[in-house]
């Protein structure tokens, strides 16, 4: 994806041509941003931490860095997703069947939603656990092919992929900074300190 490579790949000179949105008049039609760029802007605006990776080796390196930065151990990582231990096979995760004793949840997701920078998850990843019952710290492993424009597009994709049995517990996480006192805009939602490990697969 060109945007991710521009942001996280080789360093390039800043574009000073003045063609950005800030140079446009207020009555000009809104520029339709590419899905990847829109997601990046909205995800960061929501307080998410974003790590773009070209390979699984980079994913492991970033995962190790997250653990070290926060003084976390892989043994305090909870993983309810049955597919992830195969990907992170060199790590030992918490043996508990639920996440009550864990500091971090490592999970995949259904989709990354560009319109609001949210993470769409379901029972495929978190079983029937409620977000409030899960740890405050999330590390989400996703791929660039999971980017969608809207929640509706993501829900249609879930239905198409799971024709025999549509997953339950479908929800979104879109507030990624823990606040002791939530304002009225985040009331009733579950805020998570969230890292996104995004693997390029397109």
């Amino acid at each position: 994806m060109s945007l991710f490579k521009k942001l996280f790949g080789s360093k390039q000179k800043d574009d000073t041509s003045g063609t950005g949105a800030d140079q446009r008049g207020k009555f000009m039609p809104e520029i339709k941003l590419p899905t990847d760029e829109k997601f990046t802007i909205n995800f960061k605006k929501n307080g998410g931490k974003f790590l773009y990776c070209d390979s699984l080796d980079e994913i492991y390196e970033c995962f190790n860095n997250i653990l070290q930065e926060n003084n976390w151990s892989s043994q305090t990582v909870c993983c309810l997703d049955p597919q992830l231990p195969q990907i992170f096979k060199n790590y030992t995760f918490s043996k508990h069947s639920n996440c009550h004793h864990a500091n971090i949840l490592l999970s995949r997701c259904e989709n990354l939603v560009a319109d609001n920078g949210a993470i769409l998850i379901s029972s495929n990843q978190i079983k029937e656990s409620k977000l409030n019952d899960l740890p405050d710290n999330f590390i989400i492993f996703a791929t660039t092919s999971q980017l969608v424009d809207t929640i509706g597009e993501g829900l249609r994709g879930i239905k198409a992929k799971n024709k025999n049995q549509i997953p339950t517990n479908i929800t979104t996480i879109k507030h990624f900074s823990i606040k002791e006192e939530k304002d009225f805009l985040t009331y009733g939602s579950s805020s998570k300190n969230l890292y996104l490990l995004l693997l390029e697969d397109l």
Side-chain angles (χ1 to χ4, degrees):
M1 299 216 132
S2 58
L3 170 83
F4 295 128
K5 286 182 178 167
K6 272 191 264 180
L7 287 178
F8 304 105
S10 58
K11 293 182 180 176
Q12 305 202 359
K13 291 181 181 176
D14 292 338
D15 179 11
T16 55
S17 58
T19 57
D22 57 331
Q23 301 295 321
R24 295 169 57 81
K26 63 180 179 179
F27 298 110
M28 293 288 286
E30 189 176 329
I31 297 173
K32 181 167 173 54
L33 295 173
T35 303
D36 54 0
E37 188 172 347
K38 187 163 46 170
F39 173 77
T40 304
I41 291 168
N42 290 330
F43 179 77
K44 287 186 172 181
K45 194 185 294 182
N46 291 344
K49 292 176 265 304
F50 188 103
L51 297 156
Y52 169 75
C53 302
D54 270 327
S55 66
L56 276 175
D57 285 339
E58 283 189 27
I59 291 285
Y60 301 143
E61 183 181 347
C62 289
F63 182 68
N64 287 332
N65 289 340
I66 292 169
L67 295 180
Q68 288 174 15
E69 178 185 317
N70 293 282
N71 293 318
W72 292 335
S73 159
S74 66
Q75 294 181 354
T76 63
V77 174
C78 173
C79 187
L80 300 174
D81 188 320
Q83 294 189 21
L84 274 180
Q86 299 167 26
I87 298 171
F88 290 81
K89 55 191 173 187
N90 292 328
Y91 297 89
T92 303
F93 297 131
S94 171
K95 303 293 185 190
H96 293 282
S97 57
N98 59 47
C99 290
H100 294 303
H101 301 283
N103 292 333
I104 318 105
L105 175 76
L106 174 65
S107 179
R108 291 179 307 132
C109 66
E110 294 290 345
N111 289 107
L112 309 171
V113 184
D115 267 359
N116 58 3
I119 308 288
L120 184 62
I121 57 177
S122 76
S123 57
N124 286 337
Q125 293 85 41
I126 60 169
K127 299 185 178 178
E128 299 305 322
S129 300
K130 294 179 181 176
L131 286 180
N132 286 331
D133 295 333
L134 294 171
D136 286 336
N137 304 296
F138 273 39
I139 301 173
I140 299 291
F141 171 71
T143 60
T144 50
S145 61
Q146 292 177 274
L147 283 159
V148 295
D149 280 310
T150 64
I151 289 176
E153 186 182 340
L155 293 174
R156 288 191 295 274
I158 292 173
K159 190 175 180 181
K161 284 187 295 185
N162 301 275
K163 289 181 180 177
N164 296 331
Q165 185 174 3
I166 295 173
T168 57
N169 202 18
I170 298 171
T171 188
T172 58
I173 316 168
K174 59 182 178 181
H175 300 291
F176 309 128
S177 54
I178 306 297
K179 298 177 182 176
E180 289 185 13
E181 293 184 20
K182 296 182 180 180
D183 58 29
F184 73 96
L185 293 173
T186 61
Y187 182 77
S189 64
S190 183
S191 297
K192 300 294 178 185
N193 174 36
L194 191 141
Y195 292 86
L196 174 63
L197 297 174
L198 186 64
L199 178 64
E200 173 67 70
D201 69 339
L202 291 175

